[in-house]
Amino acid sequence: DFKVAGTKDGITGFQMDIKIAGVTTEIMKKALAQAKEGRLHILSIMEKCIDKPQPISPFAPKILTMKIAPDKIGALIGPGGKNIKALCAQYGVTINTEDDGTVQIYGKTGKSAEEAKMAVKGICEDPEVGVIYNGTVKRIMEFGAFVEILPGKEGLCHISKLSRGRVEKVTDVLKEGQQIPVKLLEVDKQGRLNLSYIDALEAQK
């Protein structure tokens, strides 16, 4: 019983169930040649019906793998597993961690898996100066706007960093809930994040 799977370019996997001590090289060569002939024949029929793979539905289950620093595993799991259980419940996913920092996220949909991945990054990643983030405007003040760049991590985009020209009111440029690119300019001594909207816009041109 010899099963072979693959593409036009080669074999991706095979399975053999035998009740004898071994198989000769000649038998293997013959079996693989027959399998290739059959595989190419079946693929040629398939290509007449479907010339390329269909896009995966966003509602299909999805597995995502990411790496975090091993010393961040404790923060992700939380005391008694509090943090990781909360993430699983919030996004409807299953999250497994390995000692080397590998994190696997099993989502019922691609959307839920991606959202959970962003939440894990928010817990485990430290914001990096110079990086442009896709942020969400959370609060608007007279002097600027607080923008969430990672889940649970906000920074201030001062009114002077909204435009190269003069801005009378923050609401002339931004509104709460708006998705905007912002560049992290600085993390000050108190851990506060200073952001710039105009620098991010100019960098993307």
Side-chain angles (χ1 to χ4, degrees):
D1 184 5
F2 189 39
K3 305 179 182 71
V4 180
T7 68
K8 291 188 297 184
D9 298 323
I11 295 172
T12 56
F14 64 85
Q15 176 187 350
M16 177 183 287
D17 298 322
I18 58 175
K19 295 181 174 63
I20 59 176
V23 178
T24 66
T25 302
E26 289 303 316
I27 291 176
M28 283 296 296
K29 286 182 178 179
K30 183 178 180 180
L32 290 172
Q34 290 176 336
K36 181 178 181 180
E37 181 180 352
R39 184 172 74 251
L40 294 179
H41 176 67
I42 292 172
L43 288 171
S44 68
I45 296 173
M46 293 174 61
E47 288 176 350
K48 293 177 182 178
C49 301
I50 305 174
D51 61 350
K52 59 184 177 181
Q54 296 295 320
I56 298 175
S57 168
F59 301 105
K62 191 169 187 178
I63 301 174
L64 298 177
T65 301
M66 60 185 296
K67 293 279 285 190
I68 64 173
D71 60 2
K72 297 288 186 179
I73 295 174
L76 174 60
I77 295 174
K82 178 181 177 181
N83 294 348
I84 202 166
K85 288 177 183 177
L87 290 175
C88 291
Q90 181 177 354
Y91 297 103
V93 299
T94 299
I95 302 175
N96 292 330
T97 63
E98 302 290 341
D99 291 341
D100 66 352
T102 299
V103 178
Q104 286 192 318
I105 302 170
Y106 303 84
K108 294 180 180 178
T109 66
K111 184 174 183 292
S112 64
E114 292 289 352
E115 290 176 346
K117 182 178 179 179
M118 285 300 299
V120 171
K121 289 177 68 175
I123 293 172
C124 300
E125 289 192 4
D126 295 322
E128 186 177 344
V129 173
V131 172
I132 295 176
Y133 294 89
N134 183 33
T136 302
V137 179
K138 290 296 186 178
R139 290 172 292 148
I140 290 180
M141 314 295 286
E142 289 185 3
F143 51 84
F146 287 95
V147 182
E148 184 179 59
I149 61 171
L150 290 169
K153 294 181 180 178
E154 294 183 4
L156 173 65
C157 183
H158 192 268
I159 190 171
S160 64
K161 297 300 181 181
L162 297 179
S163 172
R164 293 302 177 199
R166 179 176 174 80
V167 176
E168 295 294 335
K169 295 188 297 183
V170 178
T171 51
D172 291 338
V173 180
L174 303 178
K175 61 181 180 180
E176 288 188 4
Q178 184 178 350
Q179 299 280 325
I180 62 168
V182 286
K183 184 175 183 179
L184 179 56
L185 300 179
E186 177 193 25
V187 180
D188 68 17
K189 294 180 180 179
Q190 295 178 316
R192 295 177 298 192
L193 311 180
N194 294 321
L195 309 171
S196 172
Y197 176 49
I198 187 60
D199 283 279
L201 291 180
E202 292 176 348
Q204 291 180 344
K205 290 182 179 179

